[in-house]
């Protein structure tokens, strides 16, 4: 997830671009850059670090021309650096491109371009774009861009600037957002509305498969084939702060709603008809077979993702797994040697305890794989292999889209290990791959139940204690659900293995303690149902979570949230969404500070 902006009009472009990028910094902030058309060609300025670093580099002595493009980056391919920052250029410096998304087939395109004599200098997938434009350009920028579109696969929004077409910007969208702003003799294009709000409120949103050609007089929209399209212009009514949250009241709610996209991006390019392809993990089948034990080490929500990971790896790859809280791990003399695989999970990649655990594991000779969301983070730099979760920046302290994408990461890695060990049949792998492809749409379906959950959450205003119960993977998700509720609504919540309640905790169940009973694991469904009946018999108000079709649950609970059916192993990715929404709406109903809960920080970089 990056932020892109383009401007063509009558004012000096650079201040407008930089101001637009500031509004998009929530989308990425590891490096930034601008390109404007100058008399001598294309002037490009870029810098690693936050936008202020770019501003410092630009100083006051920049070209005053009135058309350009800008980018604030959240690294995907290639670590944050000046060289990897956008805009990217072709060999001759005739074109500049900013891009948001992932070009899935960039490796093959890169090889092909090199064979054609192009010199690519960065580690990014984006850099193939200006070189492809250069390759196809025969006097018309729009035609060249269309030809490029016929070559690339993946998710992208891009804006192209050409030295030879000095009065034109071309922007396209496929699975990455792009809005067009209509001013008076000037046009804007950006990843999100806040970037243009200081200049115009008249806008339209490009749909997938659409292209806009901006000149100083008009904005012409076509499909990728060149057929003209009419767009409905609308007037933005939100203020700038609301717009940064995409119209949502809080970042957390926005991030909850981003999950279908985040799950899709994390799967992108990693599934094939034969299973999983994790090009970033450099382990041979022999090396995988050499591992006798796996440790998964993480903190908080990431630790909860690790609990799911344990179950998947043991079930699929038949390797014993221990899950450790990072702050405990290195002080308990873990039994690690060269036959140990350690998986660290961290959204930020900077959590001090997780980083220390990683270093300890390496010191003891383990092979370390990191699952992280931040390219260039300490964890990503120090691990032997990295599986990135393409959730995009997570701003709210309560982790949501990072968790679901960590679960996707663990599913992918579990399958990867199983493939290498030959412990799963092709049929089973294909069934999971098919189910994975359906997940983004199913996550969207769950989000459609938000209004029902909001209503349920209102009954939590006065609640002091609550319990989340489930068995197996449902128990792991119960832990995440209870953490969400605790951290943002300050309600005491506990997660229990449903079968363990009667060994003590049942004494705490009264009509004052709502219970969330999760029953998606079909092998223990009947048993979970019995445990739900046990709490119901103690007068607890029970909210059940189950797959569509398991209609008998409604007889044992007060309310049911039904989820679209998926394979049991993927259920946590959907089950957690109503729990996130419940915590969110309970927090709002109790008047808490949702995005910045008391006493907590987004990234814990101290021990
Ligand atoms: O950046 P990390 O994933 O390493 O962070 C780990 C925890 O601090 C984090 O998941 C924390 O538990 C969240 N605030 C929970 O919502």
């Amino acid at each position: 997830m990056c932020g892109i902006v383009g401007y063509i009009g009558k004012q000096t472009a650079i201040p407008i671009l930089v101001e637009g990028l500031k509004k998009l910094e929530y989308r990425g902030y590891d490096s930034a850059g601008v390109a404007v058309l100058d008399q001598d060609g294309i002037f490009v300025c870029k810098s690693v670090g936050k936008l202020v670093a770019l501003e410092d580099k630009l100083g006051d002595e920049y070209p005053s021309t009135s058309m350009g493009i800008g980018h604030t980056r959240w690294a995907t391919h290639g670590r944050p650096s000046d060289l990897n920052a956008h805009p990217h250029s072709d060999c001759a410096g005739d074109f500049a491109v900013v891009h948001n998304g992932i070009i899935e087939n960039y490796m093959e395109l890169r090889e092909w371009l090199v064979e054609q004599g192009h010199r690519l200098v960065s580690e990014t997938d984006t850099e193939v774009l200006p070189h492809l434009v250069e390759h196809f350009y025969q006097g018309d920028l729009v035609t060249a861009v269309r030809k490029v579109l016929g070559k690339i696969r993946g998710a992208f929004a891009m804006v192209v600037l050409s030295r030879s077409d000095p009065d034109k910007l071309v922007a396209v969208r496929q699975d990455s957002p792009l809005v067009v702003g209509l001013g008076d003799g000037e046009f804007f294009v950006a990843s999100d509305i806040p970037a243009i709000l200081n200049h115009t409120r008249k806008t339209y949103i490009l749909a997938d498969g659409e292209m806009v050609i901006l000149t100083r007089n008009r904005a012409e929209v076509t499909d990728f084939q060149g057929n003209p399209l009419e767009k409905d212009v609308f007037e933005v009514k939100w203020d700038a702060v609301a717009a940064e949250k995409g119209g949502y009241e809080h970042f957390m709610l926005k991030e909850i709603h981003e999950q279908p996209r985040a799950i899709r991006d994390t799967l992108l390019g990693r599934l094939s008809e034969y299973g999983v392809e994790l090009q970033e993990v450099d382990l041979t089948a022999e090396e995988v077979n050499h591992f006798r034990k796996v440790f998964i080490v993480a903190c908080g929500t990431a630790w909860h993702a690790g609990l799911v990971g344990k179950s998947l790896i043991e079930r699929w790859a038949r390797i014993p797994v221990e899950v450790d809280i990072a702050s405990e791990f290195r002080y308990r003399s873990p039994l690690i040697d060269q036959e140990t695989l350690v998986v660290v999970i961290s959204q930020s990649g900077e959590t001090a305890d997780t980083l220390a655990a990683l270093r300890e594991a390496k010191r003891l000779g383990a092979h370390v794989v990191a699952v992280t969301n931040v390219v260039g983070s300490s964890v990503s730099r120090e691990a032997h292999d990295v599986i990135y979760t393409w959730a995009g920046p997570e701003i709210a302290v309560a982790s949501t889209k990072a968790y679901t994408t960590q679960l996707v990461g663990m599913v992918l890695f579990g399958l990867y290990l199983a493939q290498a060990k030959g412990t799963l049949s092709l049929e089973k792998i294909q069934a999971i791959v098919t189910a994975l492809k359906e997940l983004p749409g199913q996550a969207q379906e769950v989000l459609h139940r938000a209004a029902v959950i909001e209503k349920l959450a209102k009954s939590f205003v006065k609640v002091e204690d609550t319990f989340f119960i489930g068995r197996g993977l449902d128990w792991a998700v119960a832990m995440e659900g209870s953490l969400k509720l605790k951290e943002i609504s300050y309600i005491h919540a506990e997660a229990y293995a449903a079968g363990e309640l009667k060994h003590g905790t049942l004494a705490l169940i009264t009509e004052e303690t709502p219970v969330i009973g999760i029953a998606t694991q079909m092998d223990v469904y009947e048993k979970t149902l019995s445990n739900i009946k046990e709490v119901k018999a103690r007068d607890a108000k029970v909210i059940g979570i189950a797959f569509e079709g398991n209609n008998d649950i409604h007889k044992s609970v007060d309310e049911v949230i039904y989820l679209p059916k998926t394979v049991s192993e993927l259920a946590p990715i959907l089950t957690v969404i109503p729990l996130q929404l419940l915590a969110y709406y309970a927090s709002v109903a109790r008047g808490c500070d949702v995005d910045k809960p008391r006493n907590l920080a987004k990234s814990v970089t101290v021990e």
Side-chain angles (χ1 to χ4, degrees), residues 299-302 346-348 351 397-399 406 483-484 487 604:
C299 300
T301 286
S346 173
Q347 185 283 130
S348 61
T351 299
V397 165
S399 196
Q406 283 160 357
L483 174 61
K484 283 298 84 100
E487 71 176 327
V604 186

Side-chain angles (χ1 to χ4, degrees), residues 114-154:
V114 170
E115 274 166 30
Q116 307 295 311
H118 289 259
R119 270 176 303 102
L120 282 82
V121 293
S122 78
E123 301 160 306
T124 66
D125 53 337
T126 305
E127 200 187 0
V128 300
L129 298 172
H131 288 273
L132 285 170
V133 178
E134 180 179 41
H135 178 84
F136 288 117
Y137 187 79
Q138 287 181 327
D140 179 44
L141 180 63
V142 177
T143 309
V145 172
R146 285 207 180 104
K147 288 189 175 159
V148 173
L149 293 172
K151 281 267 175 191
I152 57 179
R153 278 199 322 269

Side-chain angles (χ1 to χ4, degrees), residues 35 50 82-83 90 134 176 214 237 287 305 327 333 360 362 381 387 482 487 495-496 512-513 518 544-545 556 583 593:
K50 295 204 168 176
D82 282 3
L83 205 59
D90 58 315
E134 180 179 41
S176 286
L214 300 175
K237 302 266 193 264
E287 284 168 322
S327 54
S333 304
E360 177 67 356
K362 272 177 89 178
R381 288 197 310 272
I387 299 169
S482 85
E487 71 176 327
Y496 255 83
E512 311 283 304
T513 44
I518 310 171
I545 299 185
S556 314
D593 187 344

Side-chain angles (χ1 to χ4, degrees), residues 45-229:
C45 181
K46 32 195 206 173
S47 174
V48 70
K50 295 204 168 176
L51 258 174
V52 282
L54 175 70
E55 285 182 286
D56 285 350
K57 208 162 179 177
L58 281 166
D60 300 327
E61 302 286 308
Y62 47 74
S64 58
T65 47
S66 56
M67 147 184 184
I69 56 179
H71 189 272
T72 179
R73 182 166 185 248
W74 177 257
T76 57
H77 295 68
R79 76 210 140 82
S81 68
D82 282 3
L83 205 59
N84 289 336
H86 300 211
H88 286 282
S89 305
D90 58 315
C91 298
D94 286 340
F95 305 96
V97 175
V98 286
H99 161 232
N100 168 35
I102 296 168
I103 306 297
E104 232 178 289
N105 57 335
Y106 85 100
M107 284 299 277
E108 64 197 68
L109 290 170
R110 194 181 168 100
E111 277 165 30
W112 180 77
L113 284 162
V114 170
E115 274 166 30
Q116 307 295 311
H118 289 259
R119 270 176 303 102
L120 282 82
V121 293
S122 78
E123 301 160 306
T124 66
D125 53 337
T126 305
E127 200 187 0
V128 300
L129 298 172
H131 288 273
L132 285 170
V133 178
E134 180 179 41
H135 178 84
F136 288 117
Y137 187 79
Q138 287 181 327
D140 179 44
L141 180 63
V142 177
T143 309
V145 172
R146 285 207 180 104
K147 288 189 175 159
V148 173
L149 293 172
K151 281 267 175 191
I152 57 179
R153 278 199 322 269
F156 48 83
M158 65 168 158
V159 192
V160 188
L161 174 78
S162 161
R163 178 183 187 170
S164 314
D165 295 60
D167 293 311
K168 199 177 282 166
L169 282 183
V170 178
V172 298
R173 169 191 166 140
Q174 182 63 49
D175 289 325
S176 286
L178 210 54
V179 300
V180 177
L182 315 173
D184 182 13
E186 57 184 1
F187 293 96
F188 308 81
V189 61
S191 299
D192 201 356
I193 289 171
I196 59 174
L197 268 194
N198 278 350
H199 304 278
T200 180
R201 287 184 168 265
K202 275 202 227 150
T203 180
Y204 51 75
I205 293 170
L206 283 193
D208 288 340
E210 290 183 353
M211 163 187 269
V212 64
I213 302 142
L214 300 175
T215 60
R216 285 186 172 77
N217 309 321
R218 67 188 292 239
E220 183 193 347
V221 181
T222 72
D223 61 19
F224 284 180
Q225 289 68 45
N227 302 305
L229 298 168

Side-chain angles (χ1 to χ4, degrees), residues 252 298-304 345-352 354-355 371-374 379 394 396-400 402-403 406 480 483-484 487-488 597 600-604:
M252 181 182 177
C299 300
T301 286
W303 179 69
H304 294 154
I345 309 177
S346 173
Q347 185 283 130
S348 61
E350 300 296 346
T351 299
T354 308
L355 193 56
V371 177
T372 184
N373 195 34
V374 182
V379 158
E394 198 178 59
V397 165
S399 196
T400 53
Y403 175 72
Q406 283 160 357
E480 176 57 9
L483 174 61
K484 283 298 84 100
E487 71 176 327
I488 59 167
L600 299 178
K602 181 68 185 158
S603 192
V604 186

